[in-house]
Amino acid sequence: MADTRPLLLSDPDALPTAYTPLPGGSSSPEIRRIHVKEVLAMFAGVVMVSLLVVIIGNTGQDGNVYHRHNRRDKPMLLAASPTKETATKAEKAEKLQAVTRGMAAGVSEKSSRLYSSDVGAGTPVYPWNNSMLSWQRTAFHFQPEKNWMNDPNGPLFYKGWYHFFYQYNPKGAVWGNIVWGHAVSRDLIHWLHLPLAMVADQWYDINGVWTGSATILPNDQIVMLYTGSTNESVQVQCLAYPADHKDPLLTKWVKYSGNPVLVPPPGTGVKDFRDPTTAWYTTDGKWRITIGSKVNKTGISLVYDTKDFITYEQLDGVLHAVPGTGMWECIDFYPVSKTSDKGLDTSQNGADVKHVMKASLDDDRNDYYALGSYNEKTGKWVPDNQKIDVGIGIRYDYGKFYASKTFYDQNKQRRVLWGWIGESDSENADVKKGWASLQGIPRTVLFDQKTGSNLLQWPVEEIEKLRLNKKNFDKVQVKAGSVVPLDVGTATQLDIVVEFELDQKVVESAAESNEEFSCQTSGGAAKRGALGPFGLLVLADDSLSERTPVYFYVVKGSGGTVNTYFCADQTRSSVATDVVKQVSGSYVPVLKGETLSLRILVDHSIIESFAQGGRTTITTRVYPTQAIYGAARLFLFNNATDTSFTASLQIWQMNSAFIRPFSPDAASHASFTPVTVFIKFIVPFGIFLTLYFVR
């Protein structure tokens, strides 16, 4: 019999948010008693004006206004040397300590400090204040109320609700004490936090309830397979299931009493066997899963068949292996249609299907995928192009994006991708602000029918419900070596869609070059070439002492071939010393007749960028100290030497998502508009104030 104890134990020792509130005034003025009619009149006026503002803001408005400051025709302020404005306080502050987390326990490194080439032990800790740290928290990305989060786990759609589980530390803002957090949503944007789904309370998972996946069976029942770290730190696979399948919120989970259901096979390291995938159904009437591992430095995916998710048969060989890629974790394996714009159920196969093989590489903490063909009979997968095989070719994202997981959304017939977005600051800062990590905006995933070699990733359509007022900028001309401010107001929460048109005569007449371009080694947006870089300066201040360029760089090679690269440059994103500052990006396919297109989601300390419809994506974490709140600005820039361009933009201010703890009332209003928020929260608060003054 299964253990029927509900796994909902909340931790009474969970740490509170680590930073203290901003100081307020030392005293309050004496409040005189106001006449009731006077108060009601004032309150009614405030309510009417506020309601009008909310309705207008929610409706949105189009504009075609942009202001060119005198700066636009001056030489661009993207000097090759970093800003000299440094924090003198940091020089006397404490130094960063080299910390490693996770590797000794048998998972990938969870401390970003060790993975920065320019920041490490001995770097001064920047004197962050509460205002700066508070600004960093996102407004429409999913994250817990506090503490540490990492991998997405077992996402699914069930009985009208999207479920999201995640690796969570209820005791603090660093990795450790890992359990499963749980949240639900009607639309993948507004979320309700539920009690913990599973905690580390059995010998087979006492050192961590690690990553797992959900499978929905034909009878609408759910099985959850996850990796447990035993009392001896052996990685084993465990089974769990809902206590009540009639409960749409799935609030209670039961661990199978016979756990673990799988242990490391002979020849596999006890810490090299983790992260089972969603199962797919075979023509033999069995369910099949794959699990990440390695043999020496070869990354592999082991394959198992089962009929009941309790007893398993290991297949001979592996689903796939790539030498030199190291340990594979968080494997994902799923079909995509070659002819349709709909997603496919994980069990689907056929002539019109490609299969995606994805692995998260423990060695470099990046997510790689490849397209290929799957043979069910042999249990093997073969890449279309071995030169861009898993781990040596294409990445989901060229910025901060790891341990991703997809699920098939049967509600809208789409494949949805989740990715863990870690921090790029210091652990000291994370502890001070009381939280670390967030999840990227869920993305739809499709096969790129034009290139035949790429996936297309795009933010789920529901994010557009947060769009507020809109401004259009039509054919803005940007000359070589110039910067053009875009008057969008505060630039902290934006959805930006832009198309660039280069001067084709200049492109055709440009000299051919043997330049070997790389975003990572090019010198960033300060490196000038004939046809780039050009793009947007995001989260910049007026003086451009802080800015994050997101840009294209075009290279004309021998024979007249034109190659386009898509990059994001953190090197001048902040004057703080204890944050990662690097240039990220890669080649992006641009087909004949296509214009260069870009979409950027800006949400405080995260910038998600999608080039050419999502062929290449970059997620960037930035921590400005000056370009925050009302001081954040947006600019077009052109640091090319020979070409000008025109840009047409649509830019929306973005509302905040509704993310809060679950309550019955919250569940019935999981998707809020500004008007309903106003009516349900602001008006009652105003009534309370009125009664207080007239009592």
Side-chain angles (χ1 to χ4, degrees), residues 410-475:
Q410 70 273 29
N411 180 45
K412 292 196 171 184
Q413 294 183 292
R414 60 186 176 179
R415 173 74 46 179
V416 177
L417 169 68
W418 282 97
W420 166 40
I421 315 300
E423 301 294 329
S424 296
D425 63 350
S426 71
E427 188 174 281
N428 304 60
D430 295 341
V431 171
K432 187 174 182 181
K433 66 190 179 187
W435 59 269
S437 302
L438 49 110
Q439 299 293 328
I441 293 298
R443 305 173 180 182
T444 56
V445 179
L446 291 171
F447 175 71
D448 187 347
Q449 298 179 37
K450 293 181 179 180
T451 67
S453 60
N454 290 79
L455 294 175
L456 297 175
Q457 303 171 60
W458 202 247
V460 292
E461 62 185 0
E462 289 89 339
I463 192 65
E464 297 174 12
K465 295 194 298 185
L466 297 181
R467 288 174 171 175
L468 297 174
N469 56 305
K470 172 186 175 184
K471 285 195 174 182
N472 290 330
F473 302 84
D474 188 35
K475 295 188 180 302

Side-chain angles (χ1 to χ4, degrees), residues 254-409:
V254 175
K255 297 179 183 179
Y256 173 56
S257 60
N259 278 335
V261 294
L262 277 172
V263 298
T268 299
V270 296
K271 294 184 179 181
D272 301 327
F273 183 63
R274 57 184 177 269
D275 309 336
T277 62
T278 295
W280 63 95
Y281 199 64
T282 69
T283 54
D284 291 335
K286 299 177 181 178
W287 292 95
R288 182 167 292 174
I289 64 169
T290 184
I291 299 172
S293 187
K294 69 175 180 177
V295 176
N296 297 320
K297 290 296 292 183
T298 297
I300 66 173
S301 50
L302 303 169
V303 187
Y304 293 86
D305 281 354
T306 181
K307 289 186 176 180
D308 56 10
F309 291 91
I310 296 173
T311 303
Y312 293 81
E313 174 190 359
Q314 184 178 359
L315 274 65
D316 291 336
V318 297
L319 181 64
H320 193 54
V322 180
T325 56
M327 176 67 192
W328 285 8
E329 57 180 6
C330 300
I331 288 178
D332 206 358
F333 187 71
Y334 58 90
V336 290
S337 173
K338 295 192 292 185
T339 59
S340 171
D341 61 356
K342 300 293 185 182
L344 299 179
D345 180 85
T346 307
S347 299
Q348 199 156 334
N349 201 355
D352 292 332
V353 170
K354 288 281 185 186
H355 272 81
V356 178
M357 184 79 199
K358 168 262 171 180
S360 301
L361 297 198
D362 194 0
D363 286 358
D364 71 2
R365 294 198 303 173
N366 290 310
D367 279 15
Y368 294 83
Y369 76 86
L371 294 163
S373 300
Y374 166 62
N375 186 318
E376 181 192 290
K377 295 300 181 183
T378 63
K380 309 295 183 185
W381 175 90
V382 178
D384 289 345
N385 183 349
Q386 288 188 343
K387 293 182 180 179
I388 51 174
D389 204 345
V390 179
I392 59 175
I394 305 174
R395 285 164 51 180
Y396 268 155
D397 191 291
Y398 289 86
K400 197 76 173 177
F401 190 93
Y402 192 63
S404 58
K405 184 173 292 295
T406 68
F407 75 101
Y408 175 63
D409 175 11

Side-chain angles (χ1 to χ4, degrees), residues 571-637:
T571 57
R572 293 158 189 84
S573 61
S574 175
V575 301
T577 53
D578 56 350
V579 300
V580 174
K581 300 178 184 180
Q582 60 189 16
V583 184
S584 306
S586 182
Y587 167 78
V588 56
V590 180
L591 305 184
K592 185 177 181 179
E594 290 184 341
T595 58
L596 295 178
S597 63
L598 173 61
R599 184 179 182 185
I600 302 177
L601 294 174
V602 182
D603 186 10
H604 296 259
S605 60
I606 181 173
I607 304 168
E608 293 187 84
S609 306
F610 305 81
Q612 299 306 109
R615 284 183 192 142
T616 302
T617 70
I618 308 172
T619 298
T620 312
R621 296 301 306 277
V622 295
Y623 308 90
T625 64
Q626 301 168 30
I628 59 177
Y629 298 107
R633 299 286 182 263
L634 180 68
F635 299 84
L636 283 166
F637 82 93

